[in-house]
PDB file of all heavy atoms in Angstrom:
ATOM      1  N   MET A  85     101.223  93.657 151.112  1.00  0.00           N
ATOM      2  CA  MET A  85     101.914  94.565 150.189  1.00  0.00           C
ATOM      3  C   MET A  85     102.338  93.812 148.937  1.00  0.00           C
ATOM      4  O   MET A  85     102.569  92.611 148.971  1.00  0.00           O
ATOM      5  CB  MET A  85     103.171  95.147 150.850  1.00  0.00           C
ATOM      6  CG  MET A  85     102.908  96.195 151.920  1.00  0.00           C
ATOM      7  SD  MET A  85     102.110  97.690 151.289  1.00  0.00           S
ATOM      8  CE  MET A  85     103.417  98.338 150.218  1.00  0.00           C
ATOM      9  N   GLU A 167      90.340 102.306 152.109  1.00  0.00           N
ATOM     10  CA  GLU A 167      91.423 102.428 153.101  1.00  0.00           C
ATOM     11  C   GLU A 167      92.776 102.008 152.537  1.00  0.00           C
ATOM     12  O   GLU A 167      93.812 102.287 153.138  1.00  0.00           O
ATOM     13  CB  GLU A 167      91.132 101.542 154.326  1.00  0.00           C
ATOM     14  CG  GLU A 167      89.750 101.736 154.950  1.00  0.00           C
ATOM     15  CD  GLU A 167      89.566 103.151 155.471  1.00  0.00           C
ATOM     16  OE1 GLU A 167      90.515 103.663 156.088  1.00  0.00           O
ATOM     17  OE2 GLU A 167      88.484 103.724 155.231  1.00  0.00           O
ATOM     18  N   MET A 168      92.765 101.301 151.418  1.00  0.00           N
ATOM     19  CA  MET A 168      94.025 100.792 150.863  1.00  0.00           C
ATOM     20  C   MET A 168      94.840 101.946 150.276  1.00  0.00           C
ATOM     21  O   MET A 168      94.288 102.941 149.822  1.00  0.00           O
ATOM     22  CB  MET A 168      93.749  99.763 149.748  1.00  0.00           C
ATOM     23  CG  MET A 168      92.979  98.540 150.226  1.00  0.00           C
ATOM     24  SD  MET A 168      92.465  97.461 148.839  1.00  0.00           S
ATOM     25  CE  MET A 168      94.038  96.745 148.371  1.00  0.00           C
ATOM     26  N   THR A 169      96.170 101.790 150.277  1.00  0.00           N
ATOM     27  CA  THR A 169      97.038 102.746 149.596  1.00  0.00           C
ATOM     28  C   THR A 169      97.801 102.011 148.498  1.00  0.00           C
ATOM     29  O   THR A 169      97.722 100.779 148.392  1.00  0.00           O
ATOM     30  CB  THR A 169      98.018 103.419 150.577  1.00  0.00           C
ATOM     31  OG1 THR A 169      98.757 102.401 151.235  1.00  0.00           O
ATOM     32  CG2 THR A 169      97.287 104.279 151.594  1.00  0.00           C
ATOM     33  N   PHE A 170      98.533 102.788 147.702  1.00  0.00           N
ATOM     34  CA  PHE A 170      99.256 102.244 146.557  1.00  0.00           C
ATOM     35  C   PHE A 170     100.083 101.009 146.944  1.00  0.00           C
ATOM     36  O   PHE A 170     100.832 101.046 147.916  1.00  0.00           O
ATOM     37  CB  PHE A 170     100.178 103.325 145.989  1.00  0.00           C
ATOM     38  CG  PHE A 170     100.924 102.928 144.753  1.00  0.00           C
ATOM     39  CD1 PHE A 170     100.259 102.482 143.621  1.00  0.00           C
ATOM     40  CD2 PHE A 170     102.307 103.003 144.714  1.00  0.00           C
ATOM     41  CE1 PHE A 170     100.947 102.124 142.465  1.00  0.00           C
ATOM     42  CE2 PHE A 170     103.011 102.653 143.557  1.00  0.00           C
ATOM     43  CZ  PHE A 170     102.326 102.208 142.451  1.00  0.00           C
ATOM     44  N   MET A 171      99.891  99.939 146.213  1.00  0.00           N
ATOM     45  CA  MET A 171     100.618  98.677 146.378  1.00  0.00           C
ATOM     46  C   MET A 171     100.128  97.841 147.568  1.00  0.00           C
ATOM     47  O   MET A 171     100.734  96.818 147.875  1.00  0.00           O
ATOM     48  CB  MET A 171     102.146  98.884 146.454  1.00  0.00           C
ATOM     49  CG  MET A 171     102.742  99.309 145.124  1.00  0.00           C
ATOM     50  SD  MET A 171     102.649  97.988 143.883  1.00  0.00           S
ATOM     51  CE  MET A 171     103.861  98.541 142.692  1.00  0.00           C
ATOM     52  N   ASN A 172      99.045  98.266 148.218  1.00  0.00           N
ATOM     53  CA  ASN A 172      98.390  97.387 149.194  1.00  0.00           C
ATOM     54  C   ASN A 172      97.674  96.284 148.426  1.00  0.00           C
ATOM     55  O   ASN A 172      97.165  96.515 147.328  1.00  0.00           O
ATOM     56  CB  ASN A 172      97.340  98.148 149.999  1.00  0.00           C
ATOM     57  CG  ASN A 172      97.919  98.856 151.220  1.00  0.00           C
ATOM     58  OD1 ASN A 172      97.238  99.641 151.864  1.00  0.00           O
ATOM     59  ND2 ASN A 172      99.177  98.597 151.546  1.00  0.00           N
ATOM     60  N   ARG A 187      95.851  97.708 145.092  1.00  0.00           N
ATOM     61  CA  ARG A 187      95.707  99.101 144.645  1.00  0.00           C
ATOM     62  C   ARG A 187      96.907  99.427 143.766  1.00  0.00           C
ATOM     63  O   ARG A 187      97.951  99.910 144.242  1.00  0.00           O
ATOM     64  CB  ARG A 187      95.600 100.054 145.828  1.00  0.00           C
ATOM     65  CG  ARG A 187      95.092 101.443 145.381  1.00  0.00           C
ATOM     66  CD  ARG A 187      94.382 102.176 146.471  1.00  0.00           C
ATOM     67  NE  ARG A 187      93.699 103.368 145.962  1.00  0.00           N
ATOM     68  CZ  ARG A 187      92.911 104.130 146.698  1.00  0.00           C
ATOM     69  NH1 ARG A 187      92.711 103.846 147.992  1.00  0.00           N
ATOM     70  NH2 ARG A 187      92.316 105.180 146.180  1.00  0.00           N
ATOM     71  N   GLY A 192      99.442 104.618 135.331  1.00  0.00           N
ATOM     72  CA  GLY A 192      99.907 105.833 135.987  1.00  0.00           C
ATOM     73  C   GLY A 192      98.850 106.473 136.860  1.00  0.00           C
ATOM     74  O   GLY A 192      99.118 107.436 137.566  1.00  0.00           O
ATOM     75  N   ASP A 194      95.635 106.228 139.839  1.00  0.00           N
ATOM     76  CA  ASP A 194      95.136 105.445 140.962  1.00  0.00           C
ATOM     77  C   ASP A 194      94.220 104.361 140.392  1.00  0.00           C
ATOM     78  O   ASP A 194      93.637 104.530 139.311  1.00  0.00           O
ATOM     79  CB  ASP A 194      94.341 106.373 141.897  1.00  0.00           C
ATOM     80  CG  ASP A 194      93.816 105.649 143.129  1.00  0.00           C
ATOM     81  OD1 ASP A 194      94.395 104.596 143.518  1.00  0.00           O
ATOM     82  OD2 ASP A 194      92.823 106.133 143.708  1.00  0.00           O
ATOM     83  N   GLN A 367     102.367 110.688 137.564  1.00  0.00           N
ATOM     84  CA  GLN A 367     101.659 109.558 138.182  1.00  0.00           C
ATOM     85  C   GLN A 367     100.759 110.084 139.280  1.00  0.00           C
ATOM     86  O   GLN A 367     101.093 111.041 139.964  1.00  0.00           O
ATOM     87  CB  GLN A 367     102.675 108.563 138.759  1.00  0.00           C
ATOM     88  CG  GLN A 367     103.452 107.860 137.670  1.00  0.00           C
ATOM     89  CD  GLN A 367     104.731 107.212 138.172  1.00  0.00           C
ATOM     90  OE1 GLN A 367     105.227 107.543 139.245  1.00  0.00           O
ATOM     91  NE2 GLN A 367     105.268 106.303 137.386  1.00  0.00           N
ATOM     92  N   ARG A 368      99.615 109.436 139.436  1.00  0.00           N
ATOM     93  CA  ARG A 368      98.660 109.895 140.450  1.00  0.00           C
ATOM     94  C   ARG A 368      98.258 108.752 141.368  1.00  0.00           C
ATOM     95  O   ARG A 368      97.090 108.540 141.655  1.00  0.00           O
ATOM     96  CB  ARG A 368      97.440 110.505 139.759  1.00  0.00           C
ATOM     97  CG  ARG A 368      97.831 111.718 138.902  1.00  0.00           C
ATOM     98  CD  ARG A 368      96.662 112.581 138.554  1.00  0.00           C
ATOM     99  NE  ARG A 368      95.758 111.950 137.603  1.00  0.00           N
ATOM    100  CZ  ARG A 368      94.625 112.506 137.179  1.00  0.00           C
ATOM    101  NH1 ARG A 368      94.263 113.693 137.641  1.00  0.00           N
ATOM    102  NH2 ARG A 368      93.851 111.885 136.315  1.00  0.00           N
ATOM    103  N   TYR A 369      99.244 107.984 141.793  1.00  0.00           N
ATOM    104  CA  TYR A 369      98.990 106.869 142.705  1.00  0.00           C
ATOM    105  C   TYR A 369      98.518 107.407 144.055  1.00  0.00           C
ATOM    106  O   TYR A 369      98.930 108.481 144.479  1.00  0.00           O
ATOM    107  CB  TYR A 369     100.263 106.028 142.899  1.00  0.00           C
ATOM    108  CG  TYR A 369     100.859 105.507 141.614  1.00  0.00           C
ATOM    109  CD1 TYR A 369     102.230 105.584 141.374  1.00  0.00           C
ATOM    110  CD2 TYR A 369     100.048 104.936 140.623  1.00  0.00           C
ATOM    111  CE1 TYR A 369     102.788 105.104 140.195  1.00  0.00           C
ATOM    112  CE2 TYR A 369     100.601 104.461 139.443  1.00  0.00           C
ATOM    113  CZ  TYR A 369     101.969 104.552 139.238  1.00  0.00           C
ATOM    114  OH  TYR A 369     102.511 104.095 138.084  1.00  0.00           O
ATOM    115  N   TYR A 370      97.683 106.639 144.761  1.00  0.00           N
ATOM    116  CA  TYR A 370      97.171 107.078 146.060  1.00  0.00           C
ATOM    117  C   TYR A 370      98.069 106.532 147.170  1.00  0.00           C
ATOM    118  O   TYR A 370      98.101 105.336 147.425  1.00  0.00           O
ATOM    119  CB  TYR A 370      95.731 106.594 146.258  1.00  0.00           C
ATOM    120  CG  TYR A 370      95.159 107.017 147.584  1.00  0.00           C
ATOM    121  CD1 TYR A 370      94.851 108.357 147.845  1.00  0.00           C
ATOM    122  CD2 TYR A 370      94.955 106.085 148.602  1.00  0.00           C
ATOM    123  CE1 TYR A 370      94.352 108.749 149.059  1.00  0.00           C
ATOM    124  CE2 TYR A 370      94.443 106.471 149.831  1.00  0.00           C
ATOM    125  CZ  TYR A 370      94.146 107.807 150.051  1.00  0.00           C
ATOM    126  OH  TYR A 370      93.652 108.197 151.267  1.00  0.00           O
ATOM    127  N   ARG A 371      98.820 107.440 147.783  1.00  0.00           N
ATOM    128  CA  ARG A 371      99.765 106.994 148.807  1.00  0.00           C
ATOM    129  C   ARG A 371      99.272 107.329 150.212  1.00  0.00           C
ATOM    130  O   ARG A 371     100.020 107.234 151.173  1.00  0.00           O
ATOM    131  CB  ARG A 371     101.142 107.606 148.559  1.00  0.00           C
ATOM    132  CG  ARG A 371     101.730 107.147 147.214  1.00  0.00           C
ATOM    133  CD  ARG A 371     103.092 107.743 146.943  1.00  0.00           C
ATOM    134  NE  ARG A 371     103.511 107.547 145.561  1.00  0.00           N
ATOM    135  CZ  ARG A 371     104.179 106.484 145.115  1.00  0.00           C
ATOM    136  NH1 ARG A 371     104.504 105.513 145.937  1.00  0.00           N
ATOM    137  NH2 ARG A 371     104.513 106.399 143.842  1.00  0.00           N
ATOM    138  N   GLY A 372      98.024 107.747 150.332  1.00  0.00           N
ATOM    139  CA  GLY A 372      97.429 107.993 151.640  1.00  0.00           C
ATOM    140  C   GLY A 372      97.679 109.399 152.143  1.00  0.00           C
ATOM    141  O   GLY A 372      98.376 110.169 151.532  1.00  0.00           O
TER     142      GLY A 372
END
Side-chain angles (χ1 to χ4, degrees):
Chain A
M85 287 296 294
E167 308 298 317
M168 299 172 72
T169 56
F170 184 56
M171 290 292 198
N172 274 171
R187 195 153 191 174
D194 182 23
Q367 291 162 342
R368 299 198 290 178
Y369 304 135
Y370 180 70
R371 297 180 193 271

